[in-house]
């Protein structure tokens, strides 16, 4: 009898331990897991891959467009699809978001529609944005990064102040290190994630500081490159309509040529070129120019980190019915605050 009780106690203890350790794993990853949707939406990754491949075949620019949208989603208030909300007073209304590309925003919404038809509203726009970005990155030649799933969408766009946290192209490296640091991203993350400027485009207003009042000397820009940019942007009317490739060597491929550009002083933004001109970043940027595997490895690590910034999980936030349209948080008087999105649903 006593031994049966003891055995039962052992079993109970073992169960408690098992539950506790799975709880602490869940807590460590915020309740996310790689197979979060496996039972409720087994075809998810197929649906994503299918849509992304069609879009990529039509316009490979959808890959850089997606990863920039993801960065702009995650950095201000976390990866919660807040950047996808449209209308006055949203993030898309703020200057840094005015050049997010329609072709990628529409793709995300098309995927959302198919997924919700096949699986009901079980997958958030935030998870879809990440899966679509990952698929397109591989199509463009880039590395695969690990993702855990189960994010929820925000009820609210990020505030103007939060969007203001996004780094600017004219920022010196010290400022970039500080702004990434404030968001839990380190110097390795800054140097590798900036490598996303190895594909995609920019518009003249984003880089005319590099040649407007004489050629930039801090850090110095290649004179022929600067002359080319100045002549090109002289024809930019109406302002902001001309496009310039971020990577002059292989503009559409995700590779390490961006770091070659920096060595040749042909980084487009001050924020790019600065990485080759600051003691905290120069060695790593040089290493990435010499070793694409090293770049890809760090990039994957840093992406996996970025997509886990400040998530809404569990019953916080919502699964948005349309990515561009915010829902209405449940009305619970005591819990209604403006600065803690999702809390109402948490009650
Ligand atoms: C380090 C700080 C960063 C600054 C200052 C910065 C700034 C910018 C600016 C000004 C543009 C051009 C906007 C335009 O004129 O159209 C741009 C484009 C782009 N950025 Fe960044 N960015 C940064 C980091 C990142 C990160 C972390 C990623 C992704 C991991 C990223 C991915 C891209 C891509 C792919 C484009 C091209 C988008 C397209 O072709 O539609 N950037 N960035
Ligand atoms: C194909 O790409 C072009 C250029 O981005 C875009 O305007 C068009 O809507 C795309 N078509 C489809 C079917 O995605
Ligand atoms: C940065 O550039 C300036 C001039 O262009 C140069 O004198 C300085 O040594 C560079 N610093 C680093 C760390 O590369
Ligand atoms: C892609 C996109 O929707 N961009 C929007 C950014 O903000 C401007 C100004 O509000 C809108 O006109 C654009 O539609």
């Amino acid at each position: 009898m006593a031994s049966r009780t003891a055995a039962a106690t052992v079993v109970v203890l073992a169960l408690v331990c098992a539950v506790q350790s799975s709880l602490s794993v869940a807590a460590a990853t915020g309740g996310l897991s790689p197979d979060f949707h496996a039972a409720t939406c087994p075809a998810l990754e197929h649906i994503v891959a299918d849509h992304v491949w069609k879009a990529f075949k039509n316009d490979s620019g959808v890959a850089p467009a997606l990863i920039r949208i993801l960065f702009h989603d995650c950095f201000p208030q976390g990866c919660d699809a807040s950047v996808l909300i449209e209308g006055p007073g949203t993030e898309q209304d703020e200057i840094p978001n005015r050049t997010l590309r329609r072709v990628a925003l529409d793709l995300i919404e098309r995927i959302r529609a198919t997924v919700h038809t096949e699986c009901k509203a079980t997958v958030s726009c935030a998870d879809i944005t990440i899966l679509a970005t990952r698929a397109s990155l591989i199509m463009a030649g880039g590395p695969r990064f690990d993702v855990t799933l189960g994010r929820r969408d925000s009820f609210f766009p990020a505030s103007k102040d939060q969007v203001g946290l996004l780094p600017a192209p004219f920022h010196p490296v010290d400022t970039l290190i500080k702004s990434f640091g404030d968001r839990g991203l380190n110097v390795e993350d800054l140097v590798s994630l900036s490598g996303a400027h190895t594909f995609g485009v920019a518009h003249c207003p984003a880089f005319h500081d590099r040649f407007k009042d004489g050629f930039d000397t801090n850090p110095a820009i290649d004179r022929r490159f600067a002359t080319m940019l100045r002549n090109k942007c002289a024809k930019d009317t109406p302002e902001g309509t001309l496009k310039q490739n971020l990577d002059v060597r292989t503009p559409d491929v995700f590779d390490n040529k961006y770091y070659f550009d920096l060595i040749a002083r042909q980084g487009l933004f001050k924020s790019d070129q600065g990485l080759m001109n600051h003691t905290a970043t120069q060695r790593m940027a040089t290493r990435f120019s010499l070793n694409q595997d090293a770049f890809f490895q760090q990039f994957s690590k840093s992406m996996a980190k970025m997509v886990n910034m400040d998530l809404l999980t569990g019953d916080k936030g919502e699964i948005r019915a349309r990515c561009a349209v915010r829902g209405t948080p449940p009305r619970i008087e005591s819990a209604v605050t403006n600065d803690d999105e999702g809390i109402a649903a948490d009650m």
Side-chain angles (χ1 to χ4, degrees), residues 92-141:
Q92 291 195 19
D93 229 10
E94 306 284 330
I95 287 166
N97 286 318
R98 293 200 182 159
T99 48
L100 300 179
R101 292 203 228 183
R102 196 74 254 166
V103 64
L105 296 168
D106 291 347
L107 168 63
I108 293 168
E109 177 58 19
R110 278 202 305 279
I111 298 172
R112 200 277 316 145
T114 308
V115 167
H116 285 197
T117 303
E118 304 265 316
C119 313
K120 304 213 171 63
T122 54
V123 187
S124 65
C125 297
D127 275 358
I128 287 170
T129 302
I130 289 165
L131 289 172
T133 301
R134 176 166 76 167
S136 72
L137 182 67
I138 294 167
M139 290 169 200

Side-chain angles (χ1 to χ4, degrees), residues 164-231:
L165 299 176
L166 279 163
F170 50 83
H171 278 161
V173 171
D174 284 327
T175 307
L176 299 174
I177 291 175
K178 169 83 168 66
S179 72
F180 270 58
D182 287 345
R183 301 297 287 122
L185 298 170
N186 61 27
V187 174
E188 284 84 353
D189 300 322
L190 170 64
V191 178
S192 64
L193 292 176
S194 294
H197 290 169
T198 189
F199 61 175
V201 297
H203 299 80
C204 292
F207 56 86
H208 62 192
D209 59 315
R210 306 274 283 142
F211 53 75
K212 212 169 68 178
D213 309 311
F215 295 157
D216 201 351
T217 53
N218 182 30
I221 188 170
D222 172 66
R223 293 188 68 85
R224 280 177 51 203
F225 180 56
T227 307
M228 182 277 284
L229 295 176
R230 192 179 58 191
N231 293 341

Side-chain angles (χ1 to χ4, degrees), residues 54-55 58-62 101 103 106 110:
K54 282 183 196 136
N58 171 55
D59 175 6
S60 65
V62 79
R101 292 203 228 183
V103 64
D106 291 347
R110 278 202 305 279

